[in-house]
Amino acid sequence: MSQGATTDGVRSPAEAAAGSKEQPAGKEQRVTKQRLAVSAALDDLADFVSTQELHRILQERGTSVSLATAYRILQSLADDALVDVLRNADGEAVYRRCAVTGHHHHLLCRSCGKAVEVEAPAVEAWAARIAREHGFTAVEHTVEIYGLCPECTARQGGK
C-alpha cells in the first residue's frame, strides 16, 4: 500500500507528490501545483476520501483543480503506491495516504468511514501457503474488514 517511504517513514508532501527518489525508473511524475495541492489535502485527511469529496475540499480551499485532473492525480498516486485505494460500500474508489508504510490491511466502519490500519501475519502466511499450493507466483492480495467502529456501535445501542 503506501510503499516507498524514506527509511524513517517520513516524506514531505513535495516528495510524496513528486514520487521522490523511490520512484521506479521511468515513472517520474511532474510536480505541478495541482499534484501538490492534492497531496497536501490527502496529508490533512484522516480517513478515506472519494475523488469527488477531495475535489470539493480543494474547491473550498480555493484550489483550482478540475475533477478530471483530480481523478488522474489520485490514480497516479495509487499506481505509484503512494496512497491506498479501496472500494467503499457503494463500489466507489476511495483514497488515503496511510501512516503504515508497508503492506497492511484495514478495518473499515460501514457507518462513518473510520479506517484502522492493521497488520495480519496470519493472513500473510495463509495467502502465501494457498498461492504456493496452487503454484501461483508474484501474488498480491488485499483484505478489508468491514464492520461498525466502537463509536457507531454505541450510537446504535450496542447492536
Side-chain angles (χ1 to χ4, degrees):
M1 316 250 204
S2 295
Q3 301 167 355
T6 57
T7 54
D8 63 358
V10 177
R11 304 163 69 103
S12 73
E15 287 177 315
S20 76
K21 64 185 175 222
E22 292 87 9
Q23 198 64 250
K27 296 273 289 181
E28 189 73 22
Q29 295 292 327
R30 227 172 48 132
V31 180
T32 63
K33 290 185 311 186
Q34 294 88 350
R35 190 170 171 90
L36 290 171
V38 167
S39 185
L42 288 169
D43 288 341
D44 293 342
L45 299 171
D47 290 323
F48 284 88
V49 63
S50 71
T51 307
Q52 291 187 358
E53 289 170 310
L54 183 64
H55 181 256
R56 181 187 49 76
I57 290 166
L58 291 167
Q59 297 302 306
E60 288 173 358
R61 291 180 174 187
T63 305
S64 179
V65 177
S66 73
L67 184 58
T69 298
Y71 273 106
R72 281 193 300 274
I73 292 168
L74 286 170
Q75 185 58 56
S76 172
L77 292 171
D79 289 346
D80 294 340
L82 297 173
V83 296
D84 279 352
V85 60
L86 54 93
R87 299 277 173 189
N88 65 16
D90 298 327
E92 180 179 29
V94 290
Y95 303 84
R96 182 175 87 158
R97 188 168 334 268
C98 289
V100 175
T101 58
H103 179 73
H104 61 280
H105 305 285
H106 299 97
L107 289 168
L108 300 157
C109 181
R110 283 190 305 262
S111 182
C112 71
K114 177 181 180 176
V116 176
E117 296 167 350
V118 295
E119 293 185 22
V123 169
E124 304 310 319
W126 174 82
R129 181 180 56 81
I130 293 298
R132 192 173 45 253
E133 286 175 5
H134 294 276
F136 278 63
T137 61
V139 173
E140 297 177 12
H141 68 273
T142 58
V143 175
E144 312 304 341
I145 303 168
Y146 294 87
L148 294 177
C149 71
E151 293 80 14
C152 290
T153 298
R155 274 195 294 275
Q156 294 185 5
K159 295 179 185 176

